[in-house]
Amino acid sequence: MSELNDPPRDRTDESLIALRRILRATELYSRDLATASGLTPAQLRVLQILAAHGGSATPKLLAQTMGVAQATVTALVDRIVNRGMATRMRSETDRRQTNVVLTEAGQEAVKVAPDALQQRYVRAFEQLKDWEQAQLLASLERVAAMLDAGDMDAAPVLTIGEIRDSQEPD
């Protein structure tokens, strides 16, 4: 808020400042998470989904849950498998299918990871009245469209990088 004697800021500048604050909060959270657990927010989200599904899920389920292409999930799973936090196992019910299975290291990473930025957002968003949620959603969708980001492949994960553009081949 500006003081009474200060000249009012331009709404365009105010909107850019608000966007920058959101980007900065996302960047700082990503850094904190990387320092605490060595994971990106998207990688942590994969581990959280696995934990929520009894420690195992298909790449297709992961992609659907995160709202991203399977190619994006494949890259994320490659990274967490390389770090020993998950493994790939052939399904016992359908040999054509591969499951991603959480390891003990992955379970521990989920337990010790700092509270995800999107989880804080979800708690606050869900406290809003229905009309406030609808208004905020419409505004955010409008901002995404203004930035030509309306068709991008994006998960409900507040992160920078990692998520791929939907124009990339699967």
Side-chain angles (χ1 to χ4, degrees), residues 32-97:
D32 290 346
L33 179 62
T35 300
S37 64
L39 297 167
T40 66
Q43 291 167 351
L44 174 60
R45 185 67 187 128
V46 169
L47 296 176
Q48 290 171 330
I49 293 167
L50 292 172
H53 285 89
S56 177
T58 64
K60 182 178 182 178
L61 176 69
L62 292 169
Q64 289 172 339
T65 304
M66 293 181 71
V68 298
Q70 269 194 264
T72 301
V73 165
T74 298
L76 290 168
V77 169
D78 286 346
R79 289 185 187 110
I80 63 173
V81 165
N82 289 339
R83 301 207 44 232
M85 295 186 175
T87 60
R88 287 186 173 94
M89 297 181 83
R90 286 265 177 237
S91 170
E92 292 182 15
T93 57
D94 183 348
R95 296 307 231 174
R96 298 169 296 171
Q97 190 173 310

Side-chain angles (χ1 to χ4, degrees), residues 4-5 11 14 21-23 42 50 67 71 82 93 97 109 113 126 134 148 150 155-157 170:
L4 291 176
N5 296 334
R11 282 188 179 153
E14 289 289 343
R21 285 181 178 150
I22 292 166
L23 293 171
L50 292 172
N82 289 339
T93 57
Q97 190 173 310
E126 289 176 349
D148 293 327
V157 177
D170 286 343

Side-chain angles (χ1 to χ4, degrees), residues 22-24 59 63 82 89 103 109 116-117 119 166:
I22 292 166
L23 293 171
R24 185 73 177 131
N82 289 339
M89 297 181 83
T103 64
L117 190 61
Q119 290 169 330
S166 63

